[in-house]
Structures are given as structure tokens and as C-alpha cells.
Short mmCIF file of all heavy atoms in Angstrom, two decimals:
data_model
loop_
_atom_site.label_atom_id
_atom_site.label_comp_id
_atom_site.label_asym_id
_atom_site.label_seq_id
_atom_site.Cartn_x
_atom_site.Cartn_y
_atom_site.Cartn_z
N PRO A 1 -62.92 -13.50 37.13
CA PRO A 1 -62.38 -12.96 35.89
C PRO A 1 -63.37 -12.02 35.21
O PRO A 1 -64.54 -12.33 35.08
CB PRO A 1 -62.14 -14.23 35.05
CG PRO A 1 -61.97 -15.32 36.05
CD PRO A 1 -62.87 -14.97 37.19
N GLY A 2 -62.87 -10.90 34.79
CA GLY A 2 -63.71 -9.93 34.10
C GLY A 2 -64.50 -9.02 35.01
O GLY A 2 -65.16 -8.08 34.54
N ASP A 3 -64.46 -9.22 36.29
CA ASP A 3 -65.19 -8.36 37.22
C ASP A 3 -64.39 -7.10 37.47
O ASP A 3 -63.21 -7.16 37.81
CB ASP A 3 -65.40 -9.12 38.53
CG ASP A 3 -66.19 -8.32 39.54
OD1 ASP A 3 -66.71 -7.26 39.18
OD2 ASP A 3 -66.28 -8.77 40.69
N ASN A 4 -65.00 -5.94 37.35
CA ASN A 4 -64.25 -4.72 37.55
C ASN A 4 -64.07 -4.38 39.02
O ASN A 4 -63.57 -3.31 39.34
CB ASN A 4 -64.89 -3.54 36.80
CG ASN A 4 -66.00 -2.87 37.57
OD1 ASN A 4 -66.49 -3.37 38.57
ND2 ASN A 4 -66.42 -1.70 37.11
N SER A 5 -64.42 -5.29 39.92
CA SER A 5 -64.17 -5.04 41.33
C SER A 5 -62.74 -5.36 41.73
O SER A 5 -62.37 -5.22 42.88
CB SER A 5 -65.14 -5.86 42.20
OG SER A 5 -64.92 -7.22 42.05
N GLN A 6 -61.91 -5.80 40.81
CA GLN A 6 -60.51 -6.03 41.14
C GLN A 6 -59.89 -4.73 41.60
O GLN A 6 -60.02 -3.69 40.99
CB GLN A 6 -59.75 -6.57 39.94
CG GLN A 6 -58.33 -6.98 40.29
CD GLN A 6 -57.75 -7.95 39.34
OE1 GLN A 6 -58.38 -8.33 38.40
NE2 GLN A 6 -56.54 -8.38 39.59
N GLY A 7 -59.21 -4.80 42.69
CA GLY A 7 -58.68 -3.60 43.30
C GLY A 7 -59.55 -3.10 44.43
O GLY A 7 -59.20 -2.17 45.12
N CYS A 8 -60.70 -3.73 44.66
CA CYS A 8 -61.51 -3.46 45.83
C CYS A 8 -61.17 -4.52 46.85
O CYS A 8 -61.20 -5.70 46.57
CB CYS A 8 -62.99 -3.49 45.48
SG CYS A 8 -64.02 -2.98 46.83
N PHE A 9 -60.86 -4.11 48.05
CA PHE A 9 -60.16 -5.00 48.96
C PHE A 9 -61.02 -5.45 50.12
O PHE A 9 -62.09 -4.92 50.39
CB PHE A 9 -58.90 -4.30 49.45
CG PHE A 9 -58.17 -3.63 48.33
CD1 PHE A 9 -58.14 -2.26 48.22
CD2 PHE A 9 -57.59 -4.40 47.33
CE1 PHE A 9 -57.52 -1.65 47.14
CE2 PHE A 9 -56.96 -3.78 46.26
CZ PHE A 9 -56.92 -2.40 46.17
N GLY A 10 -60.54 -6.44 50.84
CA GLY A 10 -61.31 -7.10 51.87
C GLY A 10 -61.35 -6.42 53.20
O GLY A 10 -60.94 -5.28 53.36
N ILE A 11 -61.84 -7.12 54.20
CA ILE A 11 -62.04 -6.57 55.52
C ILE A 11 -60.72 -6.46 56.26
O ILE A 11 -59.89 -7.35 56.23
CB ILE A 11 -63.00 -7.46 56.31
CG1 ILE A 11 -64.33 -7.60 55.55
CG2 ILE A 11 -63.26 -6.90 57.70
CD1 ILE A 11 -65.22 -8.66 56.10
N VAL A 12 -60.51 -5.37 56.94
CA VAL A 12 -59.30 -5.14 57.72
C VAL A 12 -59.64 -5.13 59.20
O VAL A 12 -60.54 -4.42 59.64
CB VAL A 12 -58.63 -3.82 57.32
CG1 VAL A 12 -57.48 -3.51 58.26
CG2 VAL A 12 -58.14 -3.90 55.89
N GLY A 13 -58.93 -5.90 59.98
CA GLY A 13 -59.05 -5.87 61.42
C GLY A 13 -57.85 -5.18 62.03
O GLY A 13 -56.74 -5.28 61.53
N THR A 14 -58.06 -4.47 63.11
CA THR A 14 -56.96 -3.81 63.80
C THR A 14 -57.04 -4.11 65.28
O THR A 14 -58.02 -4.65 65.78
CB THR A 14 -57.00 -2.29 63.59
OG1 THR A 14 -58.13 -1.75 64.28
CG2 THR A 14 -57.09 -1.93 62.12
N THR A 15 -56.00 -3.71 66.01
CA THR A 15 -55.99 -3.90 67.46
C THR A 15 -56.56 -2.68 68.16
O THR A 15 -57.66 -2.71 68.69
CB THR A 15 -54.56 -4.19 67.94
OG1 THR A 15 -53.68 -3.16 67.47
CG2 THR A 15 -54.08 -5.52 67.40
N SER A 16 -55.86 -1.56 68.14
CA SER A 16 -56.36 -0.37 68.81
C SER A 16 -57.47 0.34 68.05
O SER A 16 -58.19 1.14 68.60
CB SER A 16 -55.22 0.62 69.06
OG SER A 16 -54.64 1.03 67.84
N ALA A 17 -57.63 0.08 66.76
CA ALA A 17 -58.69 0.68 65.95
C ALA A 17 -59.67 -0.39 65.51
O ALA A 17 -60.00 -0.56 64.34
CB ALA A 17 -58.11 1.40 64.75
N VAL A 18 -60.21 -1.11 66.47
CA VAL A 18 -61.11 -2.23 66.17
C VAL A 18 -62.36 -1.77 65.45
O VAL A 18 -62.99 -2.54 64.72
CB VAL A 18 -61.45 -2.97 67.46
CG1 VAL A 18 -62.29 -2.14 68.36
CG2 VAL A 18 -62.15 -4.27 67.19
N THR A 19 -62.77 -0.50 65.63
CA THR A 19 -63.97 -0.02 64.95
C THR A 19 -63.84 -0.04 63.45
O THR A 19 -64.85 -0.06 62.74
CB THR A 19 -64.29 1.41 65.40
OG1 THR A 19 -63.17 2.25 65.15
CG2 THR A 19 -64.64 1.47 66.87
N LEU A 20 -62.62 -0.05 62.93
CA LEU A 20 -62.45 -0.09 61.48
C LEU A 20 -62.96 -1.40 60.88
O LEU A 20 -63.27 -1.45 59.70
CB LEU A 20 -60.98 0.10 61.11
CG LEU A 20 -60.41 1.49 61.33
CD1 LEU A 20 -58.98 1.53 60.86
CD2 LEU A 20 -61.22 2.54 60.61
N ILE A 21 -63.06 -2.43 61.69
CA ILE A 21 -63.56 -3.70 61.18
C ILE A 21 -64.98 -3.52 60.64
O ILE A 21 -65.27 -3.86 59.50
CB ILE A 21 -63.55 -4.77 62.27
CG1 ILE A 21 -62.12 -5.05 62.74
CG2 ILE A 21 -64.20 -6.06 61.76
CD1 ILE A 21 -62.05 -6.02 63.91
N ALA A 22 -65.84 -2.97 61.48
CA ALA A 22 -67.23 -2.77 61.07
C ALA A 22 -67.33 -1.77 59.94
O ALA A 22 -68.12 -1.94 59.01
CB ALA A 22 -68.06 -2.31 62.26
N VAL A 23 -66.54 -0.73 60.02
CA VAL A 23 -66.58 0.30 59.00
C VAL A 23 -66.16 -0.24 57.64
O VAL A 23 -66.82 -0.04 56.63
CB VAL A 23 -65.68 1.49 59.40
CG1 VAL A 23 -65.60 2.49 58.27
CG2 VAL A 23 -66.21 2.16 60.66
N ALA A 24 -65.05 -0.92 57.62
CA ALA A 24 -64.53 -1.44 56.37
C ALA A 24 -65.39 -2.57 55.81
O ALA A 24 -65.42 -2.79 54.61
CB ALA A 24 -63.10 -1.92 56.56
N THR A 25 -66.12 -3.27 56.68
CA THR A 25 -66.96 -4.35 56.22
C THR A 25 -67.96 -3.87 55.18
O THR A 25 -68.15 -4.50 54.15
CB THR A 25 -67.71 -5.01 57.38
OG1 THR A 25 -66.77 -5.60 58.28
CG2 THR A 25 -68.65 -6.09 56.88
N VAL A 26 -68.60 -2.74 55.45
CA VAL A 26 -69.59 -2.23 54.52
C VAL A 26 -68.95 -1.94 53.17
O VAL A 26 -69.51 -2.23 52.12
CB VAL A 26 -70.25 -0.95 55.07
CG1 VAL A 26 -71.28 -0.43 54.09
CG2 VAL A 26 -70.91 -1.24 56.41
N ALA A 27 -67.76 -1.38 53.20
CA ALA A 27 -67.09 -1.05 51.96
C ALA A 27 -66.83 -2.27 51.10
O ALA A 27 -67.07 -2.26 49.89
CB ALA A 27 -65.78 -0.32 52.25
N VAL A 28 -66.39 -3.34 51.71
CA VAL A 28 -66.08 -4.51 50.92
C VAL A 28 -67.35 -5.19 50.41
O VAL A 28 -67.38 -5.76 49.34
CB VAL A 28 -65.20 -5.51 51.70
CG1 VAL A 28 -65.97 -6.18 52.80
CG2 VAL A 28 -64.64 -6.56 50.75
N LEU A 29 -68.43 -5.07 51.18
CA LEU A 29 -69.65 -5.75 50.78
C LEU A 29 -70.20 -5.25 49.47
O LEU A 29 -70.73 -6.02 48.68
CB LEU A 29 -70.71 -5.61 51.88
CG LEU A 29 -70.39 -6.32 53.18
CD1 LEU A 29 -71.54 -6.18 54.14
CD2 LEU A 29 -70.04 -7.78 52.95
#
């Protein structure tokens, strides 16, 4: 509550675009 990170989303995994997992991880961190 009160954190302005609301709207920042978690890690996404894909099948054919598995590289997005690592890429998106940094963003969520």
C-alpha cells in the first residue's frame, strides 16, 4: 500500500520467445 510501483508488472515467460524471461526479469527487479 502506498508504493508507487503499482502498475509495474512481474516476470513474463514465453515459449518461442524464451529470451524475454531474462530480459523482463531486470525490469521487474
Side-chain angles (χ1 to χ4, degrees):
D3 182 9
N4 85 348
S5 65
Q6 187 158 0
C8 187
F9 315 109
I11 303 168
V12 172
T14 69
T15 53
S16 62
V18 68
T19 56
L20 290 183
I21 297 175
V23 174
T25 297
V26 180
V28 71
L29 294 183

